[in-house]
Amino acid sequence: MASLAEKPRQSIAGLWNISFGFFGIQIGFALQNGNMSRIFQTLGASVDDLPWLWTAAPLTGLLVQPIIGHLSDRTWNRLGRRRPYFLTGAILSALALILMPLAPAVGAPLLFAALMLWLLDASLNISMEPFRAYVGDMLRSDQHAAGYAVQTAFIGAGAVVGSIFPYLLDAFGVSNSAPDGTLPDTVRLSFWCGGAALLAAVLWTVISTREYSPEEMAAFAGPGDEGEQPVRALAAKTFASSIAWLVAGIVVIAAVAQFGLEKEVYLLGGLLAAYGLLSAAAIALARQGRTSGMLTQIVGDFSGMPTIMKRLAVVQFFSWSALFIMWINTTPVVAQYHFDSPDPASAGFQEAGNWVGVLFATYNGVAAVAALALLPLLARRIGKARTHMVGLAAGAVGFASFLLITDPNWLLLSEIGIGIAWASILAMPYAILASALPQRKLGVYMGLFNVFIVIPQLLVATVMGSIMKAFFPGEPIWTILAAALVMAAASLAMLAVRDAPQAGR
């Protein structure tokens, strides 16, 4: 058997260029995560309204990421395979960041802000998803860990910039207060500058890198890259699982109507039922031999995920549930329990919002350092899987400490544990998977893996509000306890995961 071609080793400059665009993408995510609850509350939303207002973000990710992954696996034009999606997403993201602060000036400001969040999150996902596969495309398997570590460092650095921007503008004298129902200049300028930085960073990667041609990628491909087995297996499946998904969705919808649950839970039921119908359609198409379509391919790949990916999906489910709880609830928690200012119209609430930006910048800064220093050291000593287990445990401790700390300054210590977990979440699962997945389907598998980032966010957005209203009305601090518990569950779930063997390509 002829030996396979081997990808050239990337230099430090090459690793930098491949992932620098993620620096800008994460500025956009940080501005979204750190400020959207603040914006929604400033525009008149209550704490209980926040989960459903955030549903646009994970819903768009659920739809966009597998589709973009599937398409980018099959794209080749003058810009390449993945770079057309980087650039398109960056342009749309920058537009959303520019328009978001204009919400108070339109007739329905809260609706406009929710629509801009939808556009922003969809566009960020269009850029982000191919970046995960891009590292696998461009690097040899023995550089995967280094590549994802550099990417994580840029994610952390970009998030620091995006998170701390309002605080720094306030420190330099930009107004951090505004009349009721309007946004302070610190927030407005942060979004506009963030849009410019995002576009510039992605352009750097687009201009400074060259993707391998389809012929070169075919030469690099290894055994098992045929990748059609999941679709063939789909044709042999019965409709039982499809019916089960459909029935589950109908049960959830009926429960909402019967027990008066929050209306956003309808979304969860609708998604379950929709997947049941789509999977049934895909099975029917596969049985007819029509296996080349997007629906059949994506459903086949989803149902035929490798075992290691399924086990890591459980870990992703728990860990991202904790993160989404944090992003939604940190501002109201810090404002109410650490600044004693739950009123969004108060100066103390805006001060708390800026401090949350500092806290988010801290955990992202810790993540950037941990990705390059701590995680590689631990991975060499105890393996990538056990390193991820330790990192997630550190995050659980960080969340739990919120219940014990009253001085907001000491919350910086909590962010150290959260930052270590964040670094591990962004690097270790992808480093474990990259060498185990078929190269020619890397985009769609990375997109499907990211579904398990989105599903827990949808659950949190649709269910958390009902739980809080029923058991802890007006007490958002208990959401952080929930984050600690589910992060601990993610750490324990890593006991079922072993490091993937290295592939020689």
Side-chain angles (χ1 to χ4, degrees):
M1 177 179 176
S3 61
L4 296 167
E6 189 173 48
K7 295 174 187 174
R9 179 174 290 276
Q10 292 285 346
S11 64
I12 295 297
L15 294 175
W16 174 288
N17 293 336
I18 287 168
S19 290
F20 186 70
F22 231 124
F23 173 74
I25 292 170
Q26 199 59 35
I27 289 176
F29 273 119
L31 287 168
Q32 170 185 297
N33 294 337
N35 293 280
M36 284 313 303
S37 288
R38 175 185 187 180
I39 289 172
F40 287 145
Q41 287 187 271
T42 299
L43 296 178
S46 70
V47 172
D48 293 331
D49 290 331
L50 294 180
W52 74 263
L53 286 168
W54 274 85
T55 56
L59 179 60
T60 51
L62 180 65
L63 299 174
V64 166
Q65 294 205 26
I67 293 173
I68 294 299
H70 174 86
L71 292 175
S72 70
D73 282 340
R74 289 157 174 76
T75 294
W76 185 262
N77 59 30
R78 291 178 61 185
L79 276 178
R81 186 187 192 191
R82 314 290 184 189
R83 290 181 300 169
Y85 298 94
F86 301 165
L87 185 58
T88 300
I91 292 170
L92 293 174
S93 298
L95 178 64
L97 287 168
I98 290 168
L99 293 177
M100 181 74 76
L102 303 180
V106 302
L110 198 56
L111 175 61
F112 183 83
L115 290 173
M116 287 302 100
L117 174 60
W118 173 82
L119 175 61
L120 176 60
D121 201 85
S123 304
L124 289 171
N125 276 289
I126 290 171
S127 282
M128 181 192 74
E129 198 288 325
F131 260 104
R132 293 294 192 193
Y134 196 45
V135 172
D137 289 347
M138 300 297 291
L139 300 182
R140 303 152 49 115
S141 61
D142 60 359
Q143 283 194 295
H144 283 161
Y148 286 110
V150 170
Q151 191 175 87
T152 298
F154 276 128
I155 291 171
V160 169
V161 173
S163 297
I164 206 169
F165 221 137
Y167 182 87
L168 290 179
L169 289 174
D170 184 25
F172 281 106
V174 176
S175 175
N176 191 50
S177 60
D180 288 353
T182 61
L183 302 177
D185 289 343
T186 50
V187 174
R188 287 156 27 101
L189 288 176
S190 294
F191 273 68
W192 293 337
C193 293
L198 185 156
L199 186 58
V202 173
L203 280 172
W204 178 285
T205 289
V206 170
I207 293 170
S208 66
T209 59
R210 181 192 72 84
E211 295 189 66
Y212 296 119
S213 69
E215 294 74 22
E216 289 172 313
M217 291 301 294
F220 297 141
D225 273 356
E226 298 83 5
E228 296 304 323
Q229 291 87 346
V231 178
R232 289 197 292 267
L234 187 65
K237 289 175 67 72
T238 69
F239 291 101
S241 61
S242 300
I243 294 171
W245 285 108
L246 178 60
V247 169
I250 293 172
V251 168
V252 170
I253 292 171
V256 176
Q258 178 67 31
F259 300 108
L261 302 179
E262 294 299 309
K263 296 298 185 287
E264 56 263 27
V265 183
Y266 277 125
L267 176 62
L268 177 60
L271 288 171
L272 294 173
Y275 180 74
L277 294 173
L278 290 173
S279 65
I283 292 171
L285 290 171
R287 288 182 174 185
Q288 297 170 16
R290 298 161 64 182
T291 59
S292 60
M294 182 189 300
L295 175 62
T296 307
Q297 291 279 331
I298 291 177
V299 173
D301 290 330
F302 184 77
S303 62
M305 288 187 299
T307 299
I308 191 171
M309 189 170 166
K310 292 177 181 177
R311 292 177 178 176
L312 278 169
V314 176
V315 179
Q316 291 287 88
F317 176 85
F318 287 122
S319 55
W320 282 88
S321 294
L323 292 171
F324 201 60
I325 290 170
M326 174 186 71
W327 290 328
I328 291 178
N329 294 288
T330 299
T331 295
V333 166
V334 171
Q336 181 169 335
Y337 292 93
H338 300 91
F339 281 78
D340 196 25
S341 298
D343 182 3
S346 67
F349 182 89
Q350 298 299 337
E351 185 182 357
N354 281 357
W355 187 244
V356 169
V358 175
L359 295 178
F360 282 12
T362 300
Y363 86 72
N364 281 291
V366 170
V369 174
L372 295 178
L374 178 62
L375 296 185
L377 176 62
L378 283 177
R380 286 194 297 270
R381 296 284 183 86
I382 62 175
K384 294 188 285 289
R386 292 296 170 264
T387 296
H388 194 36
M389 184 178 183
V390 171
L392 295 173
V397 172
F399 284 127
S401 66
F402 264 71
L403 282 78
L404 305 176
I405 293 173
T406 55
D407 185 339
N409 294 304
W410 284 103
L411 291 176
L412 293 171
L413 290 178
S414 305
E415 300 301 326
I416 294 174
I418 295 170
I420 293 171
W422 181 230
S424 190
I425 289 166
L426 293 174
M428 289 297 107
Y430 300 96
I432 292 169
L433 283 177
S435 299
L437 298 176
Q439 286 285 289
R440 77 180 197 85
K441 286 199 168 187
L442 201 55
V444 70
Y445 271 128
M446 288 296 186
L448 290 170
F449 187 60
N450 285 338
V451 165
F452 296 98
I453 295 174
V454 174
I455 290 174
Q457 295 180 38
L458 281 171
L459 283 174
V460 170
T462 56
V463 175
M464 181 63 74
S466 297
I467 294 173
M468 290 303 297
K469 281 184 179 179
F471 299 103
F472 309 107
E475 299 181 59
I477 188 66
W478 298 114
T479 63
I480 304 301
L481 175 60
L485 293 174
V486 294
M487 189 67 86
S491 179
L492 292 175
M494 280 302 298
L495 290 170
V497 178
R498 296 290 181 269
D499 289 342
Q502 291 274 313
R505 54 181 186 271

